[in-house]
Amino acid sequence: MENSSNTEKILLPGWGVAVEEYQKLHYNRAVDYGFFSNENHLNLMNPNKWLDATIPKNPYILIAHSMGSLFALRNSQLRDKAMAIIIIGGFAKFAKSDDNPYGKSPIEPAIMQKQLKRNPELLLKGFYQSIATPEEIKFSIPKILNVKQLADGLELLKICDIRNDLK
């Protein structure tokens, strides 16, 4: 087996979290969803094209957090060519339904989308407080907030169900 210390580690971050917040994971490269830039360079609702471009030629390890787990698990080319996949807080379906009683209420992302339009900084502050205690991690709110990309990420969380894609 390839020496994993020399293997590239690719980070697929979670919703609304800047890649800088993951420094302790010692990744080599991170996918930038555009949440904190002025560009809408990735179509979150149709990730096949940009996920395929993410695949390196050499062996790699995927590190996927929360929303990033949907991308890591959904794309079989990405998944099948990885030496390892590390999932942190992952899921195959975010929203609760009759057949997914452990999911989050689908109303939560919808409420967050409304809050995002009114006051994105306040929404992110509340979100960061909900995912980590102050002793664990201190998140900072980036200066540039791409409300459209953040809203698309929330929409993805509301509707995405990749359970049938997994074997």
Side-chain angles (χ1 to χ4, degrees), residues 32-63:
D32 179 1
Y33 304 129
F35 292 150
F36 308 112
S37 72
N38 290 321
E39 299 177 21
N40 296 339
H41 60 280
L42 296 183
N43 182 346
L44 296 177
M45 303 307 275
N46 186 12
N48 290 339
K49 183 176 181 180
W50 60 265
L51 280 174
D52 287 343
T54 300
I55 303 170
K57 291 181 176 34
N58 296 323
Y60 57 93
I61 295 171
L62 285 177
I63 304 169

Side-chain angles (χ1 to χ4, degrees), residues 1 19 31 35 52 59 64 80 83 95-96 107 109 118 124 144:
M1 181 173 198
V19 296
V31 173
F35 292 150
D52 287 343
D80 296 344
M83 288 178 58
K96 183 185 281 191
I107 294 170
R118 286 193 310 262
L124 286 174
I144 298 173

Side-chain angles (χ1 to χ4, degrees), residues 8-27:
E8 183 175 21
K9 295 172 193 84
I10 302 170
L11 172 68
L12 297 168
W15 179 86
V17 181
V19 296
E20 296 80 22
E21 302 294 346
Y22 295 93
Q23 289 176 356
K24 290 182 180 180
L25 297 178
H26 304 288
Y27 59 87

